[in-house]
Amino acid sequence: MPSPDQEALRLAFAAPLDRARATGLPLDRISLREHLREVEIGAFQQERGVRQRLRFDIVAEVTPDTEAILSDDVDGILSYDTLIEAIDVEMEAERLNLLETLAERLAARVLLHDRVARVFVRIEKLDRGPHVLGVEIVRARTAAPAIAVAKDAPRPRVILLAKGAQDDDGLSALLDRLSADTAPTVLIATPDFTPPSAANPMAQRRVSLLAVEQAAWRLAARDRRCVVVDSRTELDWSMRRGGLTVWAPSRLVLDATHGPTDEAPLTLARWFAETFHAVELVTPHDPGAGPVPERSARTIADI
């Protein structure tokens, strides 16, 4: 016998007459059906670097505004564009491994709207074989979402350290100054070696990112205040607390929908600074002309 949630899911995508017979007088529903998008998603290695089709069906149960409906006032109803915008926002946010995570985030975002009492989400992969793979969920306003919609993160200062900074005698003094500042600072370390070359572009990307991460962990080994983080959630938490964070880039870069053009430390630093709306980017290179203000600091003493 199906559970109440399973039955609700079945009825969400059933014919209106079937729903009426089963539920009596349900809330009004607006729906988006068979919305197709191409995206890179999936937990398997063969799904990286490959775009595949997803099909979305979303049904939102809404509290009707009778006055707005009778007066034909578009501002008084939940727009269909709300459902499409929820997909747009979550697809742009980051690369995901799981359809379940995407469905949770879509449901949470739709439920932000006051008139939505319950939302049904179905997402299907169309290109994984001679079949359709998918997930269906139902979430109500009365229950806390499994995944909270991200809030605006604080704007950090981003510092790209020069090669050899891990062994610089002035590093401890710099960390003293940065730790005393309550504003968030994110450090990015430059490797002090040339990473090996790989014939496969994806392998080379991994090798280059891991070289930057090795440099980050060398900083952590030098001073316990250099805490290495790699996920967006950890970065957000760390920056809200202020003080120092050392960024390990692999996870964010590989999961980005619009990643950096290459894995050079300066490119990574500029991409990170723009992505997190940094107030300032400090590098040992000549300042660029990007959207984030840049300042040149050739030595640690100049930072």
Side-chain angles (χ1 to χ4, degrees), residues 241-295:
R241 293 177 67 248
L244 284 176
T245 302
V246 182
W247 180 46
S250 291
R251 184 169 179 178
L252 254 66
V253 169
L254 294 173
D255 287 348
T257 55
H258 302 288
T261 55
D262 58 63
E263 289 69 51
L266 180 59
T267 304
L268 293 174
R270 285 173 172 163
W271 177 81
F272 183 95
E274 184 174 352
T275 299
F276 285 87
H277 308 289
V279 295
E280 181 187 40
L281 171 61
V282 182
T283 84
H285 305 276
D286 292 333
V292 176
E294 288 191 24
R295 176 167 62 87

Side-chain angles (χ1 to χ4, degrees), residues 204-214 249-251 253-254 263 268:
Q204 183 64 61
R205 192 181 193 201
R206 292 271 190 171
V207 168
S208 299
L209 289 171
L210 287 172
V212 178
E213 296 204 350
Q214 183 173 337
S250 291
R251 184 169 179 178
V253 169
L254 294 173
E263 289 69 51
L268 293 174

Side-chain angles (χ1 to χ4, degrees), residues 13 29-37 55-60 79-88 106 110 120-122:
F13 302 105
R29 300 184 180 208
I30 69 167
S31 63
L32 173 69
R33 296 179 185 272
E34 299 187 6
H35 181 77
L36 297 179
R37 300 290 290 269
R55 181 166 60 203
F56 294 84
D57 293 288
I58 302 177
V59 177
S79 170
Y80 302 104
D81 289 338
T82 298
L83 306 183
I84 298 175
E85 288 170 1
I87 296 173
D88 290 340
L106 284 176
V110 174
F120 307 84
V121 178
R122 173 195 288 159

Side-chain angles (χ1 to χ4, degrees), residues 157-230:
R157 172 175 49 178
V158 178
I159 300 175
L160 174 63
L161 297 174
K163 182 184 296 187
Q166 299 92 329
D167 300 316
D168 194 299
D169 291 337
L171 179 62
S172 293
L174 171 65
L175 297 178
D176 289 340
R177 295 198 307 272
L178 297 178
S179 297
D181 193 344
T182 57
T185 298
V186 176
L187 300 178
I188 302 172
T190 300
D192 56 2
F193 63 94
T194 301
S197 298
N200 185 304
M202 289 297 290
Q204 183 64 61
R205 192 181 193 201
R206 292 271 190 171
V207 168
S208 299
L209 289 171
L210 287 172
V212 178
E213 296 204 350
Q214 183 173 337
W217 284 107
R218 283 200 61 207
L219 273 178
R222 170 77 184 268
D223 193 297
R224 63 186 302 175
R225 292 172 293 183
C226 295
V227 178
V228 179
V229 299
D230 64 353

